[in-house]
Amino acid sequence: MPYTFIAAIADGRLGGADYRDWTRRQLADHNLHLDGDELKLGGDLVGFYAFLDRDQGAPLMPTEARRALADLGPYSGNVVGYLNWTHTVDERAGHEHVAPAILPISRSIVARTNNGHYRQAVRCVEFSLSTLVGKHGFADGDALISRDDDYLSYVQREAQAAITATGLSGDIVRFESHHNPIRLAGDLRLHGRVVDVPERELAGHRFRIWALDLASLADWEFWSD
């Protein structure tokens, strides 16, 4: 009997490492531990898990999810294996801790094995340009796929182009920070005039980038075990 949830693990960051060992290390960074067949938060039991290789995990993915796996976008990679789990022992921990950890670890598809529903961890997500003002933008930086140089350079370029396209001018730079690293630095100008409240001026303009779909975390029904 398969567990309720299954996440495809993409190889974009593995660097040749075994996906099981790599996934264990990534989960440990969130205080989630795989012990035997048990999934724990700290020392508390949350549920159970199993690693599945591609030939074992692929049949458990819904048909539409398998189609989505064929085109994951530029920041995921190829699927190398699957994490199949349940958080039925502690649903709240599953929603508040396991789910937000799984999205950046998977960079792929997370599905339910019981009803065909799935979520795409990485999508082209729309943001207000006001997210570039201050350290709490991009959901305090959590919506960004990674802190890899090539990805942050991509976000910086897209943000700068979006600012320019509005007729505004301002410098989008990178900060070394645990918060949002891509921000407006210095003045925002419109026709050479300094904008007094940049956040308000930018709020009406939007742009799209590849990012983590954090909105899926609000779907309690999907994450309910």
Side-chain angles (χ1 to χ4, degrees):
M1 180 71 178
Y3 295 131
T4 307
F5 302 97
I6 184 167
I9 308 299
D11 66 358
R13 288 179 296 168
L14 268 64
D18 182 273
Y19 77 92
R20 289 158 291 205
D21 293 339
W22 183 88
T23 301
R24 283 190 180 93
R25 291 195 301 271
Q26 299 301 310
L27 286 170
D29 288 343
H30 296 269
N31 199 27
L32 293 164
H33 306 284
L34 305 180
D35 182 9
D37 65 349
E38 297 179 342
L39 169 61
K40 296 180 177 180
L41 175 64
D44 298 326
L45 183 64
V46 175
F48 302 90
Y49 82 97
F51 282 115
L52 305 174
D53 290 337
R54 284 178 295 184
D55 59 342
Q56 298 171 306
L60 297 180
M61 298 296 280
T63 300
E64 290 299 320
R66 290 200 297 270
R67 290 176 182 153
L69 284 172
D71 185 16
L72 292 173
Y75 294 102
S76 295
N78 298 315
V79 174
V80 291
Y82 295 84
L83 177 66
N84 186 203
W85 85 94
T86 171
H87 49 244
T88 187
V89 176
D90 189 342
E91 281 200 2
R92 184 166 296 278
H95 188 261
E96 295 180 357
H97 297 277
V98 179
I102 286 293
L103 292 187
I105 290 171
S106 166
R107 287 196 189 182
S108 183
I109 300 294
V110 181
R112 297 181 63 101
T113 61
N114 61 342
N115 61 16
H117 295 172
Y118 73 95
R119 297 292 179 264
Q120 194 157 336
V122 173
R123 297 176 51 249
C124 232
V125 179
E126 187 175 72
F127 294 92
S128 167
L129 282 178
S130 62
T131 203
L132 300 168
V133 179
K135 67 180 182 179
H136 297 301
F138 295 110
D140 205 29
D142 289 343
L144 299 178
I145 296 170
S146 77
R147 299 302 173 100
D148 297 342
D149 182 71
D150 62 338
Y151 176 70
L152 291 183
S153 295
Y154 152 74
V155 175
Q156 189 176 353
R157 289 194 305 271
E158 293 297 310
Q160 189 69 67
I163 290 277
T164 301
T166 67
L168 295 157
S169 61
D171 293 325
I172 304 301
V173 303
R174 193 186 307 181
F175 289 81
E176 295 297 327
S177 171
H178 293 296
H179 300 280
N180 170 30
I182 306 296
R183 307 180 212 165
L184 175 71
D187 294 329
L188 181 70
R189 295 177 179 271
L190 178 62
H191 307 307
R193 177 183 60 82
V194 175
V195 174
D196 292 331
V197 187
E199 188 170 9
R200 185 173 62 198
E201 182 69 34
L202 293 169
H205 304 286
R206 309 191 73 78
F207 74 121
R208 298 176 69 86
I209 59 167
W210 288 96
L212 295 173
D213 183 17
L214 299 184
S216 67
L217 298 176
D219 187 352
W220 180 267
E221 184 176 354
F222 177 81
W223 298 105
S224 179
D225 205 333

mmCIF file with all atom_site columns, all heavy atoms in Angstrom, residues 44-58:
data_model
loop_
_atom_site.group_PDB
_atom_site.id
_atom_site.type_symbol
_atom_site.label_atom_id
_atom_site.label_alt_id
_atom_site.label_comp_id
_atom_site.label_asym_id
_atom_site.label_entity_id
_atom_site.label_seq_id
_atom_site.pdbx_PDB_ins_code
_atom_site.Cartn_x
_atom_site.Cartn_y
_atom_site.Cartn_z
_atom_site.occupancy
_atom_site.B_iso_or_equiv
_atom_site.pdbx_formal_charge
_atom_site.auth_seq_id
_atom_site.auth_comp_id
_atom_site.auth_asym_id
_atom_site.auth_atom_id
_atom_site.pdbx_PDB_model_num
ATOM 1   N N   . ASP A 1 44 ? 10.026 13.696 17.393  1.00 0.00 ? 44 ASP A N   1
ATOM 2   C CA  . ASP A 1 44 ? 8.605  13.359 17.421  1.00 0.00 ? 44 ASP A CA  1
ATOM 3   C C   . ASP A 1 44 ? 8.164  12.734 16.100  1.00 0.00 ? 44 ASP A C   1
ATOM 4   O O   . ASP A 1 44 ? 8.451  13.253 15.013  1.00 0.00 ? 44 ASP A O   1
ATOM 5   C CB  . ASP A 1 44 ? 7.764  14.608 17.697  1.00 0.00 ? 44 ASP A CB  1
ATOM 6   C CG  . ASP A 1 44 ? 8.064  15.223 19.058  1.00 0.00 ? 44 ASP A CG  1
ATOM 7   O OD1 . ASP A 1 44 ? 8.368  14.450 19.992  1.00 0.00 ? 44 ASP A OD1 1
ATOM 8   O OD2 . ASP A 1 44 ? 7.998  16.460 19.181  1.00 0.00 ? 44 ASP A OD2 1
ATOM 9   N N   . LEU A 1 45 ? 7.431  11.649 16.193  1.00 0.00 ? 45 LEU A N   1
ATOM 10  C CA  . LEU A 1 45 ? 6.956  10.945 15.015  1.00 0.00 ? 45 LEU A CA  1
ATOM 11  C C   . LEU A 1 45 ? 5.898  11.770 14.283  1.00 0.00 ? 45 LEU A C   1
ATOM 12  O O   . LEU A 1 45 ? 4.935  12.252 14.884  1.00 0.00 ? 45 LEU A O   1
ATOM 13  C CB  . LEU A 1 45 ? 6.366  9.587  15.423  1.00 0.00 ? 45 LEU A CB  1
ATOM 14  C CG  . LEU A 1 45 ? 5.880  8.690  14.289  1.00 0.00 ? 45 LEU A CG  1
ATOM 15  C CD1 . LEU A 1 45 ? 7.058  8.280  13.386  1.00 0.00 ? 45 LEU A CD1 1
ATOM 16  C CD2 . LEU A 1 45 ? 5.180  7.458  14.859  1.00 0.00 ? 45 LEU A CD2 1
ATOM 17  N N   . VAL A 1 46 ? 6.099  11.925 12.979  1.00 0.00 ? 46 VAL A N   1
ATOM 18  C CA  . VAL A 1 46 ? 5.144  12.631 12.123  1.00 0.00 ? 46 VAL A CA  1
ATOM 19  C C   . VAL A 1 46 ? 4.413  11.647 11.217  1.00 0.00 ? 46 VAL A C   1
ATOM 20  O O   . VAL A 1 46 ? 3.223  11.786 10.945  1.00 0.00 ? 46 VAL A O   1
ATOM 21  C CB  . VAL A 1 46 ? 5.877  13.692 11.259  1.00 0.00 ? 46 VAL A CB  1
ATOM 22  C CG1 . VAL A 1 46 ? 4.913  14.344 10.274  1.00 0.00 ? 46 VAL A CG1 1
ATOM 23  C CG2 . VAL A 1 46 ? 6.528  14.745 12.148  1.00 0.00 ? 46 VAL A CG2 1
ATOM 24  N N   . GLY A 1 47 ? 5.135  10.657 10.716  1.00 0.00 ? 47 GLY A N   1
ATOM 25  C CA  . GLY A 1 47 ? 4.550  9.674  9.809   1.00 0.00 ? 47 GLY A CA  1
ATOM 26  C C   . GLY A 1 47 ? 5.606  8.676  9.380   1.00 0.00 ? 47 GLY A C   1
ATOM 27  O O   . GLY A 1 47 ? 6.571  8.430  10.114  1.00 0.00 ? 47 GLY A O   1
ATOM 28  N N   . PHE A 1 48 ? 5.423  8.144  8.170   1.00 0.00 ? 48 PHE A N   1
ATOM 29  C CA  . PHE A 1 48 ? 6.313  7.105  7.671   1.00 0.00 ? 48 PHE A CA  1
ATOM 30  C C   . PHE A 1 48 ? 6.689  7.405  6.227   1.00 0.00 ? 48 PHE A C   1
ATOM 31  O O   . PHE A 1 48 ? 6.015  8.189  5.548   1.00 0.00 ? 48 PHE A O   1
ATOM 32  C CB  . PHE A 1 48 ? 5.638  5.742  7.802   1.00 0.00 ? 48 PHE A CB  1
ATOM 33  C CG  . PHE A 1 48 ? 5.245  5.412  9.212   1.00 0.00 ? 48 PHE A CG  1
ATOM 34  C CD1 . PHE A 1 48 ? 3.992  5.768  9.700   1.00 0.00 ? 48 PHE A CD1 1
ATOM 35  C CD2 . PHE A 1 48 ? 6.140  4.786  10.068  1.00 0.00 ? 48 PHE A CD2 1
ATOM 36  C CE1 . PHE A 1 48 ? 3.633  5.497  11.012  1.00 0.00 ? 48 PHE A CE1 1
ATOM 37  C CE2 . PHE A 1 48 ? 5.786  4.507  11.385  1.00 0.00 ? 48 PHE A CE2 1
ATOM 38  C CZ  . PHE A 1 48 ? 4.537  4.856  11.859  1.00 0.00 ? 48 PHE A CZ  1
ATOM 39  N N   . TYR A 1 49 ? 7.752  6.786  5.754   1.00 0.00 ? 49 TYR A N   1
ATOM 40  C CA  . TYR A 1 49 ? 8.245  7.127  4.417   1.00 0.00 ? 49 TYR A CA  1
ATOM 41  C C   . TYR A 1 49 ? 8.896  5.908  3.766   1.00 0.00 ? 49 TYR A C   1
ATOM 42  O O   . TYR A 1 49 ? 9.221  4.899  4.408   1.00 0.00 ? 49 TYR A O   1
ATOM 43  C CB  . TYR A 1 49 ? 9.286  8.253  4.491   1.00 0.00 ? 49 TYR A CB  1
ATOM 44  C CG  . TYR A 1 49 ? 10.666 7.735  4.849   1.00 0.00 ? 49 TYR A CG  1
ATOM 45  C CD1 . TYR A 1 49 ? 11.603 7.479  3.852   1.00 0.00 ? 49 TYR A CD1 1
ATOM 46  C CD2 . TYR A 1 49 ? 11.003 7.443  6.167   1.00 0.00 ? 49 TYR A CD2 1
ATOM 47  C CE1 . TYR A 1 49 ? 12.858 6.948  4.180   1.00 0.00 ? 49 TYR A CE1 1
ATOM 48  C CE2 . TYR A 1 49 ? 12.240 6.922  6.497   1.00 0.00 ? 49 TYR A CE2 1
ATOM 49  C CZ  . TYR A 1 49 ? 13.168 6.679  5.500   1.00 0.00 ? 49 TYR A CZ  1
ATOM 50  O OH  . TYR A 1 49 ? 14.389 6.151  5.803   1.00 0.00 ? 49 TYR A OH  1
ATOM 51  N N   . ALA A 1 50 ? 9.101  6.041  2.457   1.00 0.00 ? 50 ALA A N   1
ATOM 52  C CA  . ALA A 1 50 ? 9.912  5.075  1.699   1.00 0.00 ? 50 ALA A CA  1
ATOM 53  C C   . ALA A 1 50 ? 10.516 5.810  0.516   1.00 0.00 ? 50 ALA A C   1
ATOM 54  O O   . ALA A 1 50 ? 9.874  6.687  -0.076  1.00 0.00 ? 50 ALA A O   1
ATOM 55  C CB  . ALA A 1 50 ? 9.062  3.912  1.205   1.00 0.00 ? 50 ALA A CB  1
ATOM 56  N N   . PHE A 1 51 ? 11.749 5.499  0.185   1.00 0.00 ? 51 PHE A N   1
ATOM 57  C CA  . PHE A 1 51 ? 12.349 5.968  -1.061  1.00 0.00 ? 51 PHE A CA  1
ATOM 58  C C   . PHE A 1 51 ? 12.000 4.975  -2.167  1.00 0.00 ? 51 PHE A C   1
ATOM 59  O O   . PHE A 1 51 ? 12.043 3.749  -1.954  1.00 0.00 ? 51 PHE A O   1
ATOM 60  C CB  . PHE A 1 51 ? 13.875 6.065  -0.929  1.00 0.00 ? 51 PHE A CB  1
ATOM 61  C CG  . PHE A 1 51 ? 14.347 7.275  -0.190  1.00 0.00 ? 51 PHE A CG  1
ATOM 62  C CD1 . PHE A 1 51 ? 15.003 7.150  1.028   1.00 0.00 ? 51 PHE A CD1 1
ATOM 63  C CD2 . PHE A 1 51 ? 14.146 8.547  -0.714  1.00 0.00 ? 51 PHE A CD2 1
ATOM 64  C CE1 . PHE A 1 51 ? 15.444 8.266  1.711   1.00 0.00 ? 51 PHE A CE1 1
ATOM 65  C CE2 . PHE A 1 51 ? 14.578 9.671  -0.031  1.00 0.00 ? 51 PHE A CE2 1
ATOM 66  C CZ  . PHE A 1 51 ? 15.239 9.531  1.177   1.00 0.00 ? 51 PHE A CZ  1
ATOM 67  N N   . LEU A 1 52 ? 11.671 5.510  -3.326  1.00 0.00 ? 52 LEU A N   1
ATOM 68  C CA  . LEU A 1 52 ? 11.328 4.681  -4.474  1.00 0.00 ? 52 LEU A CA  1
ATOM 69  C C   . LEU A 1 52 ? 12.173 5.105  -5.668  1.00 0.00 ? 52 LEU A C   1
ATOM 70  O O   . LEU A 1 52 ? 12.265 6.296  -5.973  1.00 0.00 ? 52 LEU A O   1
ATOM 71  C CB  . LEU A 1 52 ? 9.844  4.830  -4.830  1.00 0.00 ? 52 LEU A CB  1
ATOM 72  C CG  . LEU A 1 52 ? 8.831  4.543  -3.707  1.00 0.00 ? 52 LEU A CG  1
ATOM 73  C CD1 . LEU A 1 52 ? 7.428  4.869  -4.183  1.00 0.00 ? 52 LEU A CD1 1
ATOM 74  C CD2 . LEU A 1 52 ? 8.932  3.099  -3.245  1.00 0.00 ? 52 LEU A CD2 1
ATOM 75  N N   . ASP A 1 53 ? 12.796 4.148  -6.322  1.00 0.00 ? 53 ASP A N   1
ATOM 76  C CA  . ASP A 1 53 ? 13.521 4.468  -7.542  1.00 0.00 ? 53 ASP A CA  1
ATOM 77  C C   . ASP A 1 53 ? 12.528 4.792  -8.656  1.00 0.00 ? 53 ASP A C   1
ATOM 78  O O   . ASP A 1 53 ? 11.317 4.598  -8.506  1.00 0.00 ? 53 ASP A O   1
ATOM 79  C CB  . ASP A 1 53 ? 14.433 3.304  -7.938  1.00 0.00 ? 53 ASP A CB  1
ATOM 80  C CG  . ASP A 1 53 ? 15.607 3.161  -6.972  1.00 0.00 ? 53 ASP A CG  1
ATOM 81  O OD1 . ASP A 1 53 ? 15.953 4.161  -6.310  1.00 0.00 ? 53 ASP A OD1 1
ATOM 82  O OD2 . ASP A 1 53 ? 16.157 2.048  -6.875  1.00 0.00 ? 53 ASP A OD2 1
ATOM 83  N N   . ARG A 1 54 ? 13.034 5.259  -9.786  1.00 0.00 ? 54 ARG A N   1
ATOM 84  C CA  . ARG A 1 54 ? 12.161 5.763  -10.842 1.00 0.00 ? 54 ARG A CA  1
ATOM 85  C C   . ARG A 1 54 ? 11.134 4.738  -11.305 1.00 0.00 ? 54 ARG A C   1
ATOM 86  O O   . ARG A 1 54 ? 9.955  5.077  -11.505 1.00 0.00 ? 54 ARG A O   1
ATOM 87  C CB  . ARG A 1 54 ? 12.995 6.244  -12.036 1.00 0.00 ? 54 ARG A CB  1
ATOM 88  C CG  . ARG A 1 54 ? 13.659 7.599  -11.798 1.00 0.00 ? 54 ARG A CG  1
ATOM 89  C CD  . ARG A 1 54 ? 14.517 8.017  -12.961 1.00 0.00 ? 54 ARG A CD  1
ATOM 90  N NE  . ARG A 1 54 ? 15.660 7.110  -13.141 1.00 0.00 ? 54 ARG A NE  1
ATOM 91  C CZ  . ARG A 1 54 ? 16.604 7.285  -14.044 1.00 0.00 ? 54 ARG A CZ  1
ATOM 92  N NH1 . ARG A 1 54 ? 16.545 8.311  -14.874 1.00 0.00 ? 54 ARG A NH1 1
ATOM 93  N NH2 . ARG A 1 54 ? 17.621 6.439  -14.134 1.00 0.00 ? 54 ARG A NH2 1
ATOM 94  N N   . ASP A 1 55 ? 11.544 3.482  -11.472 1.00 0.00 ? 55 ASP A N   1
ATOM 95  C CA  . ASP A 1 55 ? 10.604 2.478  -11.967 1.00 0.00 ? 55 ASP A CA  1
ATOM 96  C C   . ASP A 1 55 ? 9.554  2.120  -10.923 1.00 0.00 ? 55 ASP A C   1
ATOM 97  O O   . ASP A 1 55 ? 8.465  1.630  -11.267 1.00 0.00 ? 55 ASP A O   1
ATOM 98  C CB  . ASP A 1 55 ? 11.351 1.224  -12.434 1.00 0.00 ? 55 ASP A CB  1
ATOM 99  C CG  . ASP A 1 55 ? 12.190 0.578  -11.332 1.00 0.00 ? 55 ASP A CG  1
ATOM 100 O OD1 . ASP A 1 55 ? 12.473 1.258  -10.329 1.00 0.00 ? 55 ASP A OD1 1
ATOM 101 O OD2 . ASP A 1 55 ? 12.549 -0.607 -11.480 1.00 0.00 ? 55 ASP A OD2 1
ATOM 102 N N   . GLN A 1 56 ? 9.849  2.377  -9.648  1.00 0.00 ? 56 GLN A N   1
ATOM 103 C CA  . GLN A 1 56 ? 8.881  2.117  -8.588  1.00 0.00 ? 56 GLN A CA  1
ATOM 104 C C   . GLN A 1 56 ? 7.942  3.297  -8.377  1.00 0.00 ? 56 GLN A C   1
ATOM 105 O O   . GLN A 1 56 ? 6.741  3.116  -8.121  1.00 0.00 ? 56 GLN A O   1
ATOM 106 C CB  . GLN A 1 56 ? 9.605  1.835  -7.271  1.00 0.00 ? 56 GLN A CB  1
ATOM 107 C CG  . GLN A 1 56 ? 10.510 0.618  -7.284  1.00 0.00 ? 56 GLN A CG  1
ATOM 108 C CD  . GLN A 1 56 ? 11.354 0.548  -6.015  1.00 0.00 ? 56 GLN A CD  1
ATOM 109 O OE1 . GLN A 1 56 ? 12.054 1.495  -5.661  1.00 0.00 ? 56 GLN A OE1 1
ATOM 110 N NE2 . GLN A 1 56 ? 11.271 -0.577 -5.319  1.00 0.00 ? 56 GLN A NE2 1
ATOM 111 N N   . GLY A 1 57 ? 8.478  4.519  -8.459  1.00 0.00 ? 57 GLY A N   1
ATOM 112 C CA  . GLY A 1 57 ? 7.689  5.698  -8.150  1.00 0.00 ? 57 GLY A CA  1
ATOM 113 C C   . GLY A 1 57 ? 6.830  6.192  -9.285  1.00 0.00 ? 57 GLY A C   1
ATOM 114 O O   . GLY A 1 57 ? 5.701  6.679  -9.058  1.00 0.00 ? 57 GLY A O   1
ATOM 115 N N   . ALA A 1 58 ? 7.306  6.089  -10.507 1.00 0.00 ? 58 ALA A N   1
ATOM 116 C CA  . ALA A 1 58 ? 6.584  6.649  -11.649 1.00 0.00 ? 58 ALA A CA  1
ATOM 117 C C   . ALA A 1 58 ? 5.152  6.115  -11.764 1.00 0.00 ? 58 ALA A C   1
ATOM 118 O O   . ALA A 1 58 ? 4.225  6.901  -12.029 1.00 0.00 ? 58 ALA A O   1
ATOM 119 C CB  . ALA A 1 58 ? 7.364  6.402  -12.939 1.00 0.00 ? 58 ALA A CB  1
#
